[in-house]
């Protein structure tokens, strides 16, 4: 008995949709956006695990009168005692004042130095590549290394700063940089400016490189001098970049921890204790996790408000 082989039916375009009906055909134009969702899913899950979940835990803990956190411990009752203590604490308002002073001083100094050096290295001169390297060098140095260097520079016994001041005749005796509140604040501010101004310089240089040369050529044809070209062309074109840079610089000063903690530890007499230092001290020195979470939540709210105000102001300047 002869058996004939089974012949598969020919492929027809009309049968393809019936096979793909229950599959995820990412090639179809109506489903191409699913590919974007799939590629973004790992990043979204990672952000939820390392940012959103800890943030939720911190907010929840700020409404509990809890000390040292233990795994599996029952949740404490809801209370607002942490926020009541916080807003009636002179230490909290002192930390807010120190943070505000540090933001104003460091941000202004970083912008003056950063914009100035950015304009300088944008010009063509011999040795410009080396000048750009030295301008960006403090930004490349690890933060802890920079702090150790400045701890030696401001040392009251053999530091370079005291030797320099005495040689110039500005002082007759050595300054105890880390014992005097005003001197300690100045030492922290100088260190943060040295570490932070290269970022402003790099952003300014990037903004300057994006300005078309035709603008300057047209201004020269119209007889504009250097100052007029800077006021009417350079500065307006740099405003979007400077606006974003200012927001990032303020947030960096707001949340910086390592420079202040390694250099002064928040002292003396809490003269350099910012909100970030206060959060760490309450959490890991006094083990008041609920109170420290309340400080962290207030700090987060202040950062969000400052960012919104600065971004809104820069957007108005752009459009």
């Amino acid at each position: 008995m002869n058996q004939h082989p089974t012949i598969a039916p020919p492929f027809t375009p009309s049968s393809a949709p019936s096979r793909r009906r229950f599959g995820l055909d990412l090639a179809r134009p109506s489903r191409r956006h699913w590919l974007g969702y799939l590629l973004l899913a790992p990043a979204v899950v990672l952000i939820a695990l390392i940012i959103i979940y800890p943030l939720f835990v911190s907010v929840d803990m700020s409404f509990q009168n809890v000390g040292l956190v233990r795994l599996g411990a029952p949740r404490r009752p809801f209370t607002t005692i942490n926020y009541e203590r916080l807003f009636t604490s002179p230490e909290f308002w002192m930390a807010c004042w120190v943070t505000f002073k540090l933001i104003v001083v460091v941000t202004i100094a970083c912008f003056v130095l950063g914009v100035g050096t950015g304009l300088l290295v944008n010009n063509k001169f011999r040795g410009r590549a080396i000048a750009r390297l030295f301008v960006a060098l403090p930004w490349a140095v690890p933060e802890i290394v920079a702090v150790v260097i400045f701890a030696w520079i401001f040392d009251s016994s053999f530091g370079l700063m005291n030797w320099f001041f005495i040689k110039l005749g500005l002082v007759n005796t050595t300054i105890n940089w880390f014992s005097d509140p005003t001197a300690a604040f100045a030492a922290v501010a100088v260190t943060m400016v040295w570490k932070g101004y290269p970022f402003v310089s790099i952003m300014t240089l990037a903004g300057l490189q994006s300005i078309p040369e035709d603008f300057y050529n047209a201004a020269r044809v119209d007889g504009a001098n250097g100052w007029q070209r800077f006021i009417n062309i350079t500065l307006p074109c740099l405003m979007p970049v400077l606006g974003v840079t200012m927001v990032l610089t303020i947030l960096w000063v707001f949340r910086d921890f390592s420079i202040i903690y390694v250099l002064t530890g928040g002292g003396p007499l809490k003269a350099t204790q910012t909100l970030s230092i206060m959060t760490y001290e309450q959490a890991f020195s006094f083990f008041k996790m609920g109170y420290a979470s309340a400080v962290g939540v207030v700090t987060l709210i202040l950062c969000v408000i400052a960012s919104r105000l600065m971004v809104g102001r820069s957007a108005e300047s752009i459009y």
Side-chain angles (χ1 to χ4, degrees), residues 146-210:
V147 176
V148 171
I149 293 172
F150 274 87
W152 174 78
I153 290 175
F154 286 106
D155 189 273
S156 59
S157 300
F158 51 83
L160 182 65
M161 193 62 70
N162 276 331
W163 175 85
F164 188 67
F165 278 9
I166 292 175
K167 287 293 182 183
L168 290 178
L170 298 177
V171 295
N172 297 324
T173 182
T174 58
I175 302 174
N176 294 321
W177 291 97
F178 302 123
S179 300
D180 181 74
T182 305
F185 182 85
V188 169
V190 169
T191 307
M192 296 187 76
V193 169
W194 185 84
K195 191 70 182 74
Y197 90 88
F199 174 71
V200 181
S201 180
I202 293 171
M203 295 292 286
T204 303
L205 183 60
L208 291 171
Q209 297 288 320
S210 66

Side-chain angles (χ1 to χ4, degrees), residues 82-145:
N82 291 323
Y83 290 97
E84 294 173 5
R85 288 175 51 198
L86 184 65
F87 291 120
T88 57
S89 170
E91 183 183 2
F92 169 71
W93 295 111
M94 178 69 179
C96 289
W97 173 240
V98 172
T99 306
F100 175 75
K101 284 195 303 180
L102 206 58
I103 288 174
V104 173
V105 173
V106 174
T107 302
I108 292 176
C110 283
F111 264 75
V112 171
L113 287 176
V115 174
T117 52
L119 292 171
L120 177 64
V121 298
N122 186 52
N123 296 317
K124 295 180 181 178
F125 58 91
R126 182 176 295 179
R128 185 176 67 169
I130 297 177
R132 289 183 175 182
L133 174 64
F134 278 101
V135 167
L137 186 61
W139 183 70
V141 174
E143 198 163 90
I144 189 66
V145 175

Side-chain angles (χ1 to χ4, degrees), residues 262-316:
V262 175
L263 206 59
T264 64
L269 301 175
K270 303 187 184 303
T272 59
Q273 187 186 60
T274 58
L275 289 172
S276 58
I277 299 292
M278 182 180 177
T279 304
Y280 178 84
E281 290 287 339
Q282 296 295 329
F284 300 106
S285 296
F286 306 118
F287 299 106
K288 298 177 181 177
M289 293 296 179
Y291 188 65
S293 299
V295 181
V297 170
V298 172
T299 304
L300 174 66
I301 293 173
L302 292 176
C303 285
V304 171
I305 293 174
S307 302
R308 183 66 189 88
L309 292 176
M310 296 304 299
V311 170
R313 188 173 296 276
S314 66
E316 290 176 359

